[in-house]
């Protein structure tokens, strides 16, 4: 090898090594390029040592061809010089994608020239051109160097096809070596047989013709079978891909693909449903348009961590829909990798959890209301005991006949105040869903007038209340406490709609609906009804809010300022009374709620006027009174003793059993509180005594409603149950009726 050739190989080898060491190449081809470059550098280095230091490594003797009597070359041949020009130019172009086809053409041309030199040695042929021949090792090095340079660019052209996962790439990889080596082997074998003279020329041609058919036919058949398997596998893969695509498209979750720069690349129907954008509107646009302004930096932080290979699971955040509404979403984000493991982008699965968040908030609100209900139940029991004492003493004072006119008026006011306190307690129990429905015949106008007095203190001085009551009584069968609650809730809502004050008009009237009127509304039905109208001069209700106003927990007030149960409670009460509500509103002009309740057939006096306490008959029977509150026990004893009854007292269930044992034959009625200490409540006490005397009459007392305490056995108000506080008249009636009733 001439010195200049060795130097060229050394320089070219180092240039190849540098090109093959760049990042982003195919790892296997990088290694092949480096091996080719290493061998080339080694051969070039040894050749240079031979020239400089006289090391005779007998390389040049390899190119000597005794049959052709060719002398070893002592300088670079013309084909070699041309190869170095081609390869040097290719190395200069290896860093640009624009000239990749020129790069590959120059490299292949140099390899072809080198391969001609190798084949000349293998087959003992004379040079094709009348120039100094190339040494075999020079030609081989040129082939290796060209192959190494050719392998450095896999991003396009012939090498792009070679490394691709397509069927064409697989066929090229399968056939490349056989195409090079099989003809070489066949021709070498033919030349050896020809030199040995085993066959005549005609026979030799026939044998090698058949040999070519068998070898190339086998190659074609093998690769055809391979292509068939690839097609089957690809068909199954396409079917699986289509199924996965169908699953992605049919998912209610948003499944989104995006680049590491945040550009959206894929968008399924679930994403269209959740965010409101179609795929055509958003694919190719940045995902930042889905982020609220205060979360603009969130996307950059997430994508930076995704680029490092991190993932996010069930990450809860806030996004913005096309209509600018903010929604809560649970997001799972994962890196999107190619076949070599390189991260190309991110895949995101987003689920709308806005309704779930609202349900959780409603559940927390319901738990709070449950706590209020439990608190109200406990407060009602103790508070009603206090009210019972005041009520009974008031009744006793009024029935004594020894009071002056002023004193009688005070006693009457005491009773009225107690009833107002009872109504307040019932409103609290009603709001917490722990109050029993207790309807009676009442004049709605009278009930509303009494409640309106309390509203003036609640609504404040800035709200003017105007009452327009019907000229005649508006009788209906309703729970007075619930009617108070309806008016209270509507009035409070009206006040909130008039922050600067305004006019609140409360009106009652009677209406008649015929069949024609009933067809004009889904709720209206024929008949006679009482109408309660509540109107305000406030801001009105927006059209988009109006359909939701009766939904539980729906509120337009700020957090902490509304429960969302006010109008829902009103709606439930009206439904319970077999009525309906109509709403009329206009923005900036106020709102009117009209409530329709069935009207009693007779527009006359209320039924069931109670007699005076003095007119009720008493008795001389013995009554066992079991009550743990001493104040209640004392006042009940006094009220019944005045009616002639003999009262035996006990403060607990255990004491009551002792009293029973001593007076069993005399006791005709047990009057017991349901909740008592010492582990024996009123129900257990009554069961014990009834086992011994089934004819014993029992009346229960409690600060709880009959609905709460009567879950296991029936409680009938005024028959076998008295809700505290109760009037002395009601106590006397219940006792007398129970004793006179037949078993």
């Amino acid at each position: 090898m001439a010195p200049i050739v060795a130097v060229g190989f050394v320089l070219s080898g180092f240039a190849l090594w540098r090109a093959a060491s760049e990042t982003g190449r195919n790892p296997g081809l990088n290694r092949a390029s480096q091996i080719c470059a290493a061998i080339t550098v080694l051969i070039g280095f040894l050749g240079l040592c031979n020239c400089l230091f006289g090391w005779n490594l007998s390389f040049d003797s390899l190119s000597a061809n005794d049959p052709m009597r060719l002398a070893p070359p002592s300088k670079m041949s013309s084909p070699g010089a041309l190869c170095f020009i081609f390869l040097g130019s290719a190395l200069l172009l290896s860093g640009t994608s624009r000239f990749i086809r020129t790069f590959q053409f120059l490299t292949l041309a140099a390899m072809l020239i080198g391969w001609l030199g190798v084949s000349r040695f293998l087959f003992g042929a004379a040079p094709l051109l009348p120039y100094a021949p190339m040494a075999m090792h020079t030609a081989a090095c040129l082939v290796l160097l060209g192959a190494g340079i050719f392998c450095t660019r896999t991003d396009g052209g012939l090498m792009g096809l070679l490394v691709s996962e397509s069927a064409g790439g697989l066929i090229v990889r399968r056939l490349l070596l056989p195409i090079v080596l099989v003809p070489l082997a066949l021709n070498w074998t033919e030349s050896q047989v020809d030199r040995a003279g085993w066959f005549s020329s005609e026979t030799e041609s026939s044998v090698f013709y058949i040999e070519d058919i068998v070898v190339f036919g086998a190659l074609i058949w093998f690769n055809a079978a391979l292509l068939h398997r690839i097609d089957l596998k690809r068909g199954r893969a396409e079917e699986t891909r289509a199924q996965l695509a169908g699953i992605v498209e049919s998912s209610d979750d948003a499944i989104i693909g995006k680049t590491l720069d945040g550009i959206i690349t894929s968008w399924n129907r679930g994403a269209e449903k959740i965010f409101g954008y179609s795929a055509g509107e958003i694919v190719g646009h940045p995902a930042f348009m889905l982020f609220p302004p205060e979360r603009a930096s969130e996307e950059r932080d997430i994508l930076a961590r995704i680029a490092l290979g991190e993932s996010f699971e069930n990450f809860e955040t806030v996004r913005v829909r096309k209509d600018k509404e903010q929604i809560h979403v649970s997001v799972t984000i994962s890196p999107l990798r190619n076949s070599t493991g390189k991260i190309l982008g991110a895949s995101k699965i987003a689920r709308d959890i806005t309704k779930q968040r609202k349900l959780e908030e409603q559940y927390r609100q319901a738990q709070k209301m449950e706590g209020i209900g439990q608190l109200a139940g406990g407060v009602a029991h103790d508070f009603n005991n206090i009210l019972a004492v005041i009520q009974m003493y008031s009744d006793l004072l009024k029935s004594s006949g020894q009071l002056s006119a002023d004193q009688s008026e005070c006693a009457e006011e005491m009773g009225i105040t107690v009833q107002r306190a009872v109504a307040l307690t019932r409103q609290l129990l009603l709001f917490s869903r722990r109050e029993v429905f207790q309807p009676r015949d009442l004049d709605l106008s009278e009930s509303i007038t009494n409640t309106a007095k309390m509203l003036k203190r609640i609504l404040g001085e800035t709200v003017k209340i105007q009452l327009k009551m019907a000229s005649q009584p508006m009788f209906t069968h309703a729970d007075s406490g619930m009617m108070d609650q309806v008016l209270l809730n509507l009035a409070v809502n009206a006040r909130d709609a008039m922050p600067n004050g305004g006019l609140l008009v409360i009106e009652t009237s009677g209406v008649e609906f015929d069949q024609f009127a009933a067809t004009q509304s889904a709720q209206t039905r024929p008949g006679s009804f009482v109408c309660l109208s509540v109107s305000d001069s406030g801001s009105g209700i927006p059209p988009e809010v109006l359909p939701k106003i009766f939904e539980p927990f729906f509120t337009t007030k700020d957090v902490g300022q509304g429960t969302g149960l006010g109008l829902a409670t009103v709606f439930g009460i009206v439904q319970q009374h077999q009525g309906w509500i109509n709403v009329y509103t206009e923005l900036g002009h106020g709102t009117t709620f009209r409530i329709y309740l069935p009207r009693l057939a007779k527009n006359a006096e209320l039924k069931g006027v109670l007699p005076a306490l003095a007119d009720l008959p008493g008795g001389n029977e013995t009554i066992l009174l079991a009550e743990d509150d001493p104040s209640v026990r004392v006042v009940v004893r006094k009220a019944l003793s005045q009616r002639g009854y003999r009262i035996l007292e006990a403060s607990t269930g255990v004491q009551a059993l002792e009293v029973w044992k001593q007076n069993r034959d005399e006791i005709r009625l047990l009057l017991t509180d349901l909740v008592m200490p010492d582990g024996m409540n009123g129900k257990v006490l009554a069961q014990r005594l009834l086992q011994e005397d089934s004819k014993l009459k029992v009346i229960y007392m409690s600060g709880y409603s009959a609905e709460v305490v009567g879950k296991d056995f029936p409680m009938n108000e005024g028959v076998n149950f008295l809700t505290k506080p109760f009037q002395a008249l009601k106590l006397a009636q219940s006792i007398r009726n129970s004793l006179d009733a037949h078993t």
Side-chain angles (χ1 to χ4, degrees):
M1 181 183 291
I4 190 66
V5 176
V7 172
F9 276 123
V10 171
L11 295 177
S12 300
F14 277 115
L16 171 60
W17 186 282
R18 181 70 182 89
S21 299
E22 294 182 10
T23 58
R25 308 296 187 183
N26 183 282
L29 292 173
N30 277 350
R31 183 60 56 86
S33 299
Q34 291 171 349
I35 292 174
C36 292
I39 295 174
T40 304
V41 170
L42 177 61
I43 294 176
F45 178 77
L46 293 176
L48 186 61
C49 290
N50 187 16
C51 295
L52 295 177
F53 306 110
W55 295 357
N56 185 10
L57 301 178
S58 301
F59 284 119
D60 290 336
S61 62
L62 293 174
S63 63
N65 193 310
D66 291 337
M68 300 297 299
R69 296 184 180 181
L70 296 174
S74 60
K75 61 179 181 179
M76 182 182 293
S77 63
S78 299
L82 186 60
C83 287
F84 275 114
I85 292 173
F86 288 166
L87 295 177
S89 300
L91 284 171
L92 290 175
L93 298 175
S94 64
T96 59
S97 300
R98 181 178 179 182
F99 300 103
I100 188 170
R101 295 188 181 278
T102 304
F103 160 83
Q104 291 180 344
F105 171 78
L106 294 173
T107 307
L108 289 175
M111 291 172 62
L112 181 60
I113 294 173
W115 188 247
L116 287 174
V118 173
S119 63
R120 183 186 70 82
F121 169 78
L122 292 175
F123 298 108
L128 294 177
L129 299 174
Y131 300 105
M134 241 190 302
M136 194 280 286
H137 52 280
T138 300
C141 286
L142 288 172
V143 173
L144 294 174
L145 182 61
I149 296 173
F150 189 80
C151 292
T152 59
R153 295 298 305 272
T154 61
D155 53 340
L158 298 178
M159 280 301 298
L161 176 63
L162 178 65
V163 301
S164 71
E165 296 299 326
S166 64
L170 183 61
I171 291 299
V172 170
R173 290 192 295 274
R174 292 283 185 176
L175 293 179
L176 185 59
L177 286 179
I179 287 175
V180 174
L181 297 179
V182 169
L184 179 64
L186 292 177
N187 282 278
W188 183 84
T189 303
E190 184 178 359
S191 66
Q192 296 301 318
V193 170
D194 185 51
R195 288 180 182 179
W198 292 352
F199 305 107
S200 63
S201 59
E202 293 80 4
T203 304
E204 182 179 330
S205 298
S206 175
V207 169
F208 283 102
Y209 170 71
I210 298 300
E211 180 184 26
D212 290 343
I213 292 176
V214 171
V215 172
F216 286 102
L219 285 174
I220 293 173
W221 193 271
F222 172 78
N223 284 279
L226 178 63
L227 277 177
H228 179 68
R229 290 195 299 270
I230 291 174
D231 286 341
L232 292 178
K233 187 176 181 180
R234 179 165 296 174
R236 289 191 294 267
E238 289 295 335
E239 183 179 350
T240 302
R241 187 179 294 110
Q243 291 177 351
L244 292 176
I247 293 173
V248 169
E249 279 299 309
S250 62
S251 175
D252 289 334
D253 293 337
I255 302 178
I256 304 168
K258 54 187 175 182
T259 67
L260 292 177
D261 296 327
I263 303 301
I264 295 174
T265 57
S266 61
W267 188 264
N268 74 331
R269 293 180 183 174
E272 293 182 0
K273 180 179 179 181
I274 291 176
F275 295 104
Y277 293 96
S278 66
E281 291 176 314
I282 200 166
V283 170
H285 291 80
F288 290 104
M289 59 195 301
L290 302 176
F291 287 71
E294 64 273 14
R295 294 178 181 265
S297 62
E298 187 178 284
E299 175 78 341
R300 290 189 294 269
D301 296 340
I302 290 175
L303 291 176
R305 295 173 65 179
I306 287 293
L308 298 176
E310 297 185 35
S311 298
F312 299 84
E313 292 186 5
N314 300 323
F315 170 63
E316 295 189 4
T317 183
V318 177
R319 294 292 181 263
V320 179
R321 287 172 43 86
K322 182 180 179 180
D323 57 9
K324 306 305 179 184
E325 177 187 355
Q326 292 195 359
I327 59 174
H328 293 273
V329 293
S330 176
V331 181
T332 297
I333 309 176
S334 305
L336 194 61
R337 305 174 186 269
N338 62 8
S339 58
T340 63
K342 182 181 178 181
I343 299 175
L344 302 178
S347 63
K348 178 171 73 174
I349 302 176
R351 174 168 296 177
D352 187 353
I353 60 172
T354 305
K355 292 183 180 179
Q356 179 182 334
R357 282 290 185 89
K358 290 181 179 179
L359 288 174
E360 291 174 355
E361 184 61 32
Q362 292 174 6
Y363 176 69
R364 286 192 292 268
Q365 186 69 26
Q367 285 183 315
K368 289 167 59 178
M369 296 308 302
E370 179 67 20
I372 291 175
Q374 294 176 357
L375 176 63
V379 169
H381 178 266
D382 295 336
F383 188 55
N384 283 337
N385 278 342
I386 299 172
L387 295 177
V389 174
I390 300 173
Q391 179 70 64
M392 293 292 291
Y393 275 120
S394 173
D395 292 343
L396 291 176
L397 286 173
K398 289 187 292 183
S399 65
S400 66
Q402 301 176 0
L403 300 179
S404 64
D406 290 340
Q407 290 173 335
S408 296
E409 184 178 350
C410 290
E412 185 69 28
E413 188 63 29
M414 286 173 58
I416 295 174
T417 303
V418 168
Q419 292 306 312
R420 287 172 57 192
V422 171
L424 289 173
T425 305
R426 291 189 69 239
Q427 288 179 25
L428 182 60
L429 291 172
L430 174 66
F431 189 73
S432 60
R433 305 297 190 188
R434 290 182 171 237
E435 181 55 59
V436 67
F437 181 47
Q438 297 178 355
R440 63 181 178 88
D441 295 348
L442 57 83
D443 180 1
L444 185 62
S445 296
E446 181 182 354
S447 176
I448 295 302
T449 301
N450 293 333
T451 307
K453 298 176 183 178
M454 178 179 61
L455 290 180
K456 294 180 180 179
R457 297 192 299 272
I458 296 175
L459 302 183
E461 298 179 355
T462 60
V463 177
K464 181 181 178 181
I465 301 177
Q466 182 177 348
L467 298 180
K468 294 183 178 180
M469 299 295 103
S471 58
Q472 56 182 349
M474 292 288 105
F475 292 135
T476 186
H477 193 65
D479 187 307
S480 60
M482 291 186 177
M483 291 298 101
D484 293 345
Q485 185 71 55
V486 167
L487 182 58
L488 176 64
N489 288 3
L490 292 177
V492 169
N493 270 17
R495 179 200 62 188
D496 294 340
M498 301 182 292
N500 299 320
L503 177 64
L504 177 65
V505 180
I506 303 173
E507 183 179 1
T508 60
S509 61
V511 294
E512 297 283 342
F513 292 118
D514 56 14
Q515 191 64 40
F516 176 75
T519 60
Q520 300 177 31
S521 171
Q523 296 176 318
T524 305
R525 60 181 185 270
S528 179
F529 298 90
V530 174
C531 176
L532 169 62
S533 175
V534 180
S535 304
D536 64 68
S537 58
S539 57
I541 303 174
E544 66 273 12
V545 173
L546 188 60
K548 305 177 182 179
I549 59 174
F550 294 118
E551 294 180 4
F553 303 104
F554 176 79
T555 179
T556 58
K557 300 175 183 177
D558 294 336
V559 177
Q561 296 185 8
T563 63
L565 290 173
L567 290 178
T569 301
V570 170
F571 183 82
I573 291 174
V574 174
Q575 290 284 316
Q576 198 170 4
H577 284 79
Q578 307 301 314
W580 72 91
I581 308 176
N582 286 341
V583 185
Y584 306 90
T585 184
E586 185 176 352
L587 285 178
H589 293 82
T591 302
T592 297
F593 287 87
R594 288 198 177 97
I595 297 173
Y596 298 92
L597 301 174
R599 188 175 180 179
L600 292 182
K602 292 184 179 181
N603 231 1
E605 295 292 331
L606 283 173
K607 301 184 292 181
V609 178
L610 295 176
L613 179 60
D615 297 334
L616 286 176
N620 58 4
E621 291 90 348
T622 299
I623 298 174
L624 174 56
L625 173 61
E627 169 63 56
D628 62 307
D629 191 308
S631 299
V632 176
R633 193 168 64 249
V634 169
V635 73
V636 170
R637 176 177 56 79
K638 285 184 178 181
L640 295 179
S641 296
Q642 289 182 2
R643 311 305 301 163
Y645 298 108
R646 179 189 175 206
I647 306 301
L648 302 177
E649 300 179 47
S651 61
T652 66
V654 176
Q655 289 183 8
L657 286 178
E658 295 297 327
V659 175
W660 169 263
K661 291 178 182 179
Q662 299 173 9
N663 303 275
R664 172 180 175 179
D665 296 334
E666 302 174 9
I667 297 174
R668 294 292 175 265
L669 184 141
L670 170 65
L671 179 61
T672 178
D673 191 9
L674 270 171
V675 180
M676 290 190 295
D678 291 351
M680 181 176 289
N681 58 33
K683 178 183 174 183
V684 175
L685 172 63
Q687 290 174 343
R688 292 279 296 273
L689 299 188
L690 287 171
Q691 288 176 357
E692 300 183 23
D693 185 1
S694 60
K695 296 181 179 181
L696 178 70
K697 304 300 176 63
V698 180
I699 296 178
Y700 300 97
M701 303 178 293
S702 179
Y704 296 102
S705 68
E707 184 182 70
V708 175
V709 300
K711 296 179 179 178
D712 300 326
F713 58 101
M715 295 286 186
N716 298 318
E717 180 71 30
V719 179
N720 69 335
F721 182 79
L722 294 172
T723 301
K724 298 176 183 177
F726 43 79
Q727 295 178 332
L729 178 64
K730 193 171 186 178
L731 172 64
Q733 275 188 322
S734 299
I735 293 292
R736 192 67 260 164
N737 292 339
S738 180
L739 290 171
D740 293 342
H742 296 289
T743 304

